[in-house]
Amino acid sequence: MSDTSVKMAKTAYDALDEKLGEDIRILRIDEISVIADYLIIANGDNPNQIRAMLEQVEERMTEAGFASKRIEGNKNSTWILMDYGDVIVHIFSRDDRLFYDLERIWQDGEDISRENL
């Protein structure tokens, strides 16, 4: 686990929290997958909040010196994936989060708190 991926995860979590992201979860997956060290999952209450969360993560990560490899979805999407390499951020509408249930898919990952990063 690199210090960089921990800093990225904290930065993304804090950005989501600043925009009142709901049920923000951090899953540590580095021991079960090569795609990333952390998945961060959150949902928003409405399209405006989802858009604000996306913009806040982009802004905070850029300020911290982290560039996204790609972003899937757009400002009108109900599921946005932001790939920062070692950290992948998923922002959902409440319904899509329940439907796709990434926490179940990645249940072998370690669910950790912001304080334990």
Side-chain angles (χ1 to χ4, degrees), residues 13-112:
Y13 182 100
D14 292 347
L16 293 167
D17 191 47
E18 288 170 15
K19 291 301 178 183
L20 307 178
E22 298 176 352
D23 193 19
I24 305 169
R25 305 268 308 271
I26 304 168
L27 298 177
R28 182 177 172 184
I29 61 166
D30 64 312
E31 295 181 4
I32 61 168
S33 178
V34 297
I35 66 165
D37 292 340
Y38 296 103
L39 296 180
I40 301 178
I41 305 167
N43 59 273
D45 206 27
N46 58 62
N48 290 335
Q49 183 185 19
I50 292 169
R51 183 173 44 254
M53 292 164 63
L54 163 68
E55 291 170 356
Q56 189 76 351
V57 171
E58 281 185 303
E59 184 178 319
R60 293 288 182 252
M61 294 296 268
T62 300
E63 288 172 356
F66 305 123
S68 66
K69 294 180 182 274
R70 72 171 190 250
I71 295 177
E72 299 287 334
N74 60 44
K75 293 181 181 193
N76 298 315
S77 296
T78 57
W79 178 7
I80 297 167
L81 180 148
M82 306 174 80
D83 183 353
Y84 286 91
D86 290 338
V87 173
I88 298 173
V89 178
H90 296 272
I91 303 171
F92 288 97
S93 69
R94 192 175 289 141
D95 289 343
D96 277 1
R97 183 172 183 174
L98 291 171
F99 179 79
Y100 290 105
D101 198 8
L102 292 186
E103 289 93 339
R104 182 188 54 77
I105 293 169
W106 290 98
Q107 66 187 342
D108 292 336
E110 180 184 359
D111 194 355
I112 61 175

